[in-house]
Amino acid sequence: MRVLGVDPGLTRCGVGVVEGVAGRPLTMLGVGVVRTSADAELGQRLVAVEQGIEAWLDEHRPEYVAVERVFSQHNVRTVMGTAQASAVAMLCAARRGIPVALHTPSEVKAAVTGSGRADKAQVGAMVTRLLRLDAPPKPADAADALALAICHIWRAPAQNRLQQAIARHTAETPARSATAPMTPKGRTA
């Protein structure tokens, strides 16, 4: 499985490509940051993020794109920029028919370090160890992008099995009539 991880941001959008399967050693294929100038107009910054992500998609041809799920912060301006960059990444993947997975920061930290409250240094250290790198990727946005890709590789098989089980259960369970009376135990009469 080849995954492009995207740590969205308008000034620095971390990108990293990891290949492998759960339970086996993983390989980093590339890591970097798409940068935009804080002085540029918003529309131009979003175009620059799009062009950068498109270049990564062209070069690495990932099977999946894993994007950090945007969560509410105290600084609305920061969260808006992050959300806009996140949407650009999802759009680029969707345009190519590449499935997109969203992972929260705590999911990623827990998957990579074992603790959903790990700090950036701990994430960087574990990414370095898991990918057998000589040093943590810099800046932290790049390490976070690799962590997103690792998280998706490790979580995707379990998520797929869960989705398949839900689909099987839904297909096997006959639809209950909306007018059928319910017994006290929740069964139709």
Side-chain angles (χ1 to χ4, degrees):
M1 175 184 307
R2 183 177 292 190
V3 179
L4 171 65
V6 179
D7 182 38
L10 272 181
T11 304
R12 289 183 320 272
C13 182
V15 286
V17 181
V18 176
E19 188 169 64
V21 295
R24 303 275 173 114
L26 303 173
T27 304
M28 180 188 75
L29 301 179
V31 65
V33 177
V34 176
R35 296 180 187 271
T36 70
S37 170
D39 298 334
E41 177 209 304
L42 175 61
Q44 293 305 312
R45 294 177 80 185
L46 293 172
V47 168
V49 169
E50 178 195 28
Q51 290 170 341
I53 291 172
E54 289 288 351
W56 278 82
L57 292 171
D58 285 342
E59 181 178 348
H60 294 284
R61 306 265 183 231
E63 299 166 77
Y64 298 91
V65 173
V67 180
E68 183 175 275
R69 183 182 300 274
V70 177
F71 63 98
S72 179
Q73 296 174 330
H74 296 294
N75 186 342
V76 174
R77 186 171 174 213
T78 300
V79 79
M80 286 301 295
T82 302
Q84 291 162 334
S86 177
V88 169
M90 290 187 282
L91 174 68
C92 291
R95 188 183 293 141
R96 294 169 182 246
I98 302 171
V100 175
L102 300 174
H103 299 285
T104 66
S106 59
E107 287 173 343
V108 174
K109 291 173 184 180
V112 174
T113 70
S115 170
R117 294 185 173 185
D119 62 24
K120 291 218 178 262
Q122 291 170 311
V123 171
M126 284 306 297
V127 164
T128 303
R129 184 175 175 193
L130 292 168
L131 296 175
R132 299 170 315 281
L133 306 175
D134 294 332
K138 299 285 184 194
D141 309 276
D144 289 348
L146 291 171
L148 276 152
I150 293 167
C151 174
H152 187 71
I153 289 170
W154 286 353
R155 292 178 55 107
Q159 288 175 331
N160 290 341
R161 284 191 303 273
L162 180 61
Q163 289 172 347
Q164 289 169 355
I166 290 169
R168 274 194 311 274
H169 177 73
T170 304
E172 293 170 1
T173 306
R176 186 172 43 90
S177 169
T179 59
M182 299 289 286
T183 65
K185 296 201 177 202
R187 298 185 183 120
T188 55

